[in-house]
Amino acid sequence: MMATGRKAGRLAATLLALALATGAAHAEPPAKELFAAKGSPAALAPESVGFYSKGCLAGAAELAPDGPHWQAMRLSRERRFGHPATVAFLQQLSEEAARRGIWPGLLVGDISQARGGPLPYGHASHQIGLDADIWLQPMPAQRLTQQAREDFAFRSVLREGTLTVDDRVWTDNYRDLIRLAAEDSKVQRVFVHPGIKKKLCETAGRDRAWLNKVRPIYGHHEHFHVRLRCQPGSDGCTPQESTGSGDGCGDLGWWFNVALKPPPPNAKPGKPKPPMRLADLPNQCRVVLNAPGTGAGNPLLMAAPRDAAPAALSYAPIASVPIPTSRPMQ
Ligand SMILES: [Zn+2]
């Protein structure tokens, strides 16, 4: 008995030494895994914590899969959670777009996970419940089945193999929808492909103030991305710098002449960043992660196999458009 006890003691000491050597920070899995495993919002007051690309979300609201003027897509991704202001914004935008005859409704893509946080695939931002993707396709007349919402193809508004908007697809209604979103005072910025920004610049006419919030970024030619400002009650939310006041139409040269040029054939791919750990996020995110859940969330969706999700990587750029590997946050 004594011998076994001593052996066990030695083993424990060895394990402890090993744990200290590898560093306690790595004892925890990457934050994206911890947050992706949470199916229901933290039962706390609504608050966005941290920055859009480094934070989390307490007290999330959930966008229903269906509304009078929207259908949420890719339900298995479980990213229909947002700050209540974001969910309300999407509902109002869809209603106003329909009321003005811009589009009959919206196809809504990813918002955030139930408690926000880093995501295992698809986005650097979308972490604090204030980012939402809207497909650049009017809502079809029919209600799509759950399976159809997985399979429904993304459609680029660019002419294949070019960086130019396809006028067989694009209409002024696309512009009017983006303008409607950008003119909302809650909206901090809207991200679109540089080719779309160029089209907006060319067709905006004289009233151009709204263009200032519409920012060019890689990708985003089959959906656009709306970012809300930090909302009241979110003391821990880090605001993003203002977009200033110009229309941004004079700054597109760099995108077309440098950023979107195909990389040289011998270009080395950028090193992947190490995954964010919980310790890298604001301390409050640990509280958000460990808080009791509201019990909300869709049990049907929570049963969906998680490892099926990357196969549905619907945000991959279309192959024929050159997209550099590094994607700076804008
Ligand atoms: Zn997005």
Side-chain angles (χ1 to χ4, degrees):
M1 285 300 279
M2 284 295 284
T4 318
R6 271 204 303 276
K7 225 186 211 166
R10 272 203 307 276
L11 184 67
T14 312
L15 284 175
L16 180 67
L18 216 94
L20 287 172
T22 34
H26 288 260
E28 275 180 326
K32 60 186 175 186
E33 290 175 22
L34 300 172
F35 280 94
K38 295 289 183 182
S40 68
L44 298 166
E47 182 171 4
S48 301
V49 181
F51 193 61
Y52 300 91
S53 53
K54 199 183 215 179
C56 60
L57 172 66
E62 186 178 11
L63 181 74
D66 288 282
H69 300 292
W70 79 83
Q71 299 189 42
M73 301 297 281
R74 306 286 195 257
L75 302 175
S76 67
R77 293 160 73 101
E78 298 178 60
R79 295 173 178 179
R80 284 182 292 114
F81 299 92
H83 188 283
T86 308
V87 171
F89 164 80
L90 290 166
Q91 294 173 349
Q92 285 157 15
L93 181 70
S94 75
E95 274 159 34
E96 189 60 17
R99 198 183 68 77
R100 296 189 187 198
I102 297 174
W103 276 4
L106 307 179
L107 296 178
V108 181
D110 287 358
I111 312 172
S112 288
Q113 301 176 123
R115 300 183 189 202
L119 299 100
Y121 59 93
H123 308 277
S125 64
H126 287 257
Q127 293 194 23
I128 56 175
L130 298 175
D131 294 290
D133 288 342
I134 298 171
W135 288 38
L136 281 165
Q137 298 188 56
M139 186 179 85
Q142 78 274 22
R143 287 282 145 187
L144 301 168
T145 63
Q146 191 176 348
Q147 190 57 46
R149 295 180 200 211
E150 300 298 317
D151 302 338
F152 202 82
F154 253 151
R155 187 211 49 196
S156 176
V157 299
L158 302 181
R159 234 177 326 124
E160 205 182 338
T162 77
L163 305 172
T164 309
V165 164
D166 188 341
D167 286 320
R168 293 167 303 178
V169 173
W170 186 266
T171 67
D172 285 346
N173 294 36
Y174 286 70
R175 176 198 64 205
D176 294 345
L177 179 67
I178 293 169
R179 176 177 177 164
L180 187 61
E183 284 186 331
D184 192 301
S185 61
K186 288 188 294 301
V187 169
Q188 210 274 342
R189 54 185 73 199
V190 176
F191 295 114
V192 297
H193 186 276
I196 297 177
K197 171 85 189 199
K198 183 162 178 281
K199 185 72 176 176
L200 297 173
C201 288
E202 288 165 0
T203 60
R206 258 192 279 175
D207 191 359
R208 310 174 70 79
W210 60 277
L211 279 171
N212 130 277
K213 283 194 211 167
V214 184
R215 311 290 281 190
I217 195 163
Y218 296 109
H220 294 77
H221 47 82
E222 1 68 342
H223 74 279
F224 68 103
H225 173 143
V226 180
R227 171 168 294 173
L228 266 57
R229 300 179 194 281
C230 288
Q231 294 298 301
S234 293
D235 295 341
C237 182
T238 310
Q240 186 165 21
E241 65 181 48
S242 159
T243 52
S245 58
D247 64 14
C249 295
D251 320 330
L252 290 170
W254 176 80
W255 283 96
F256 295 109
N257 301 327
V258 182
L260 294 173
K261 287 276 185 219
N266 56 352
K268 283 198 184 131
K271 261 200 187 156
K273 277 191 208 156
M276 261 182 225
R277 304 277 162 181
L278 196 49
D280 299 324
L281 301 176
N283 289 336
Q284 212 181 328
C285 288
R286 195 175 289 276
V287 178
V288 170
L289 185 74
N290 295 323
T294 58
N298 187 332
L300 174 71
L301 299 177
M302 279 188 273
R306 284 181 183 282
D307 53 3
L313 239 188
S314 43
Y315 288 81
I318 55 174
S320 49
V321 173
I323 305 288
T325 45
S326 63
R327 297 184 162 220
M329 277 305 301
Q330 286 270 308

